[in-house]
Amino acid sequence: MATVLIKNGTVVNHFGRQKVDVLIFGEKIAAIGSEIENIPEHTQIIDATGKYILPGGIDPHVHFHLGTPAGYSSDDFISGSKAALAGGTTTIIDFVTPIKNESLPVAYEKRLADAKGCFCDYGFHISPIDFHEGLYQEMSHCVENLGIPSFKVYMAYKSSIGISHEILEKIMVMAAHLNALVTIHAEEGDVISTLQQQYIMNGYDEPIYHALSRPSSVETDAIKAAIALAKITKAEVYFVHVSSPDSMKCVVDAQLEGYPIYAETCPQYLLLTMDKLKGSFEQTAPYVFSPALRDANQKDALWEYLMNGSIQTIGTDHCPFNLKGQKELGINDFTKIPNGAGGVEHRLELMYTFGVLTGKITLEQMVSLLCFQPAQIFGIKNKGILTTGYDADLVIWNPVGERIISTKTQWQQCDSNIYEGISVTGKVETVILRGEFAYKDKNHGSVSGNYLKRELLG
Ligand SMILES: [Zn+2]
């Protein structure tokens, strides 16, 4: 088994940073310290002077190869996982979404086949899309045998995968019984449908009406309703992609009352505003995703919740679609634009540049949001911390140097990039996944990802 020694870097964990060396043996971290002894002969040495060594990123929210009426999202598990690694993410959690009348275990088997060839480690959340006989047994099977203790439900998209409040309550009861987590896309689907129909009927068909038909109140109302149900059912709840401060206020109130409620946000809601939806179809369609972008005041207020620790994780909701042939299907009707944008490769550089370098969050907080909390909340064993005995998943981060994000240099497969033209500081130099070089000097290694069976802690 290969051994690697990373010398002279600063190891950053969520609890602090230290200038120490890291010895990797096989897939694991064998030692961390300033005077590591008994270093085997032929150990490969990496000098990390002036660099940070971060735990491999865990993105708890990505959609690779997602089927939609506009075709599959433009990244499959291969291109998507390469983008993830290039951005310092070594583990992703994707989704299993059954089609109508398909059982959860059957959908899982199919999804596992989709993920074949994934370059980074991966797990799944799984979505009950209706309530049917035997659902509890299926959910139990997911938790007990498939390593999927998190159920994702959609309160929006009622015509396809979304569920009613009544079914949400039933799923919460079952999840609580199974000690599993309910992760929620919180937007009131019926209100959105009504607003969409009104806009389309009156000839308002441009991308900006995507945002106007999904005001932040539809998110906040859904979060309120879901929290009320969580209190009754005692379910543990994780809200994905929270986009507005009003919604966060509800989350924080419940957290303060002692309920196990977690919140994720995404870089797009911290960095971009609705102004991106003003312009031509080609300029604006890439910014059609849900929830929608908010105004500048809401964006700034969302940061406060990140800074004070009320938000636990940053996911990307990575789900790009090409303008050509996909987004353009909605040129005369914004409701036909596939919802989604890419971001998996930019999470670390964006949060470092706009969170850490601006002094809003510390490096340790960033590591907590990107690595530690996703592992902790979703039960990913031996990852998220750089410590002896844990998986040797790590990123050598050079904090010096600037670059401009561009479609021309991105790894994701898409003809646009919502962060186009943004200047970021720092770069991912080397990424190690379970002891093997997964990305180095802009090249990917041949290491392949493992499917991770998860188990929630306590
Ligand atoms: Zn999503």
Side-chain angles (χ1 to χ4, degrees), residues 61 63 95 152 154 241 317:
H61 189 166
H63 306 269
F95 296 82
K152 164 84 177 281
Y154 297 83
H241 54 44
D317 199 3

Side-chain angles (χ1 to χ4, degrees), residues 369-403:
L369 289 159
L370 305 187
C371 318
F372 174 67
Q373 290 278 19
Q376 193 77 1
I377 293 171
F378 291 110
I380 301 173
K381 247 194 295 183
N382 298 326
K383 295 188 189 287
I385 309 177
L386 293 177
T387 191
T388 305
Y390 268 50
D391 286 0
D393 292 358
L394 55 86
V395 176
I396 301 179
W397 175 251
N398 185 345
V400 178
E402 286 185 16
R403 70 177 204 102

